[in-house]
């Protein structure tokens, strides 16, 4: 299961220059897209291309606050909607 990681807020200058380093291996981070998936409460969510910082060495992914907030909003909506589909056993 993928975990959503919050990175520090990154300025547009840092994104443009690509100077962010991975906190695990100190590899170079590049800003591109990464997949996100999670199994949760009876459903599977898969997003193919979420903007993220990705380490060129380890592949570690960091999502910025805006993307984390959007993913959490989607999960909250799905949680609320899928409760209606639950069947008592």
């Amino acid at each position: 299961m993928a975990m959503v990681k919050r990175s520090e807020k990154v300025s547009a200058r840092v994104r443009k220059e690509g100077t962010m380093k991975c906190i695990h291996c100190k590899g170079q981070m590049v800003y591109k897209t990464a997949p996100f998936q999670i199994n949760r409460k009876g459903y599977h969510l898969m997003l193919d291309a979420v903007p993220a910082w990705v380490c060129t060495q380890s592949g570690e992914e960091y999502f910025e606050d805006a993307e984390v907030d959007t993913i959490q909003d989607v999960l909250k909506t799905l949680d609320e909607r899928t409760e209606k589909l639950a069947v008592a056993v």
Side-chain angles (χ1 to χ4, degrees):
M1 173 168 44
M3 298 296 293
V4 176
K5 298 173 188 166
R6 284 192 181 256
S7 66
E8 293 182 19
K9 290 196 177 199
V10 181
S11 70
R13 180 183 57 79
V14 171
R15 184 178 297 131
K16 182 180 176 185
E17 294 174 6
T19 58
M20 188 167 171
K21 298 286 184 188
C22 178
I23 63 170
H24 295 288
C25 70
K26 306 301 180 210
Q28 183 68 33
M29 302 293 286
V30 293
Y31 194 72
K32 57 184 193 174
T33 62
F36 173 82
Q37 61 182 353
I38 188 168
N39 291 313
R40 175 184 169 109
K41 298 184 179 182
Y43 63 84
H44 179 78
L45 173 66
M46 185 161 78
L47 304 171
D48 292 328
V50 178
W53 286 95
V54 181
C55 180
T56 58
Q57 287 183 182
S58 67
E60 192 73 24
E61 301 162 349
Y62 298 94
F63 299 103
E64 290 191 27
D65 289 343
E67 286 73 29
V68 171
D69 291 343
T70 300
I71 291 169
Q72 288 176 338
D73 288 344
V74 169
L75 291 173
K76 180 180 176 186
T77 300
L78 284 171
D79 287 347
E80 292 167 355
R81 294 293 189 116
T82 55
E83 281 179 9
K84 297 176 184 179
L85 299 174
V87 177
V89 179

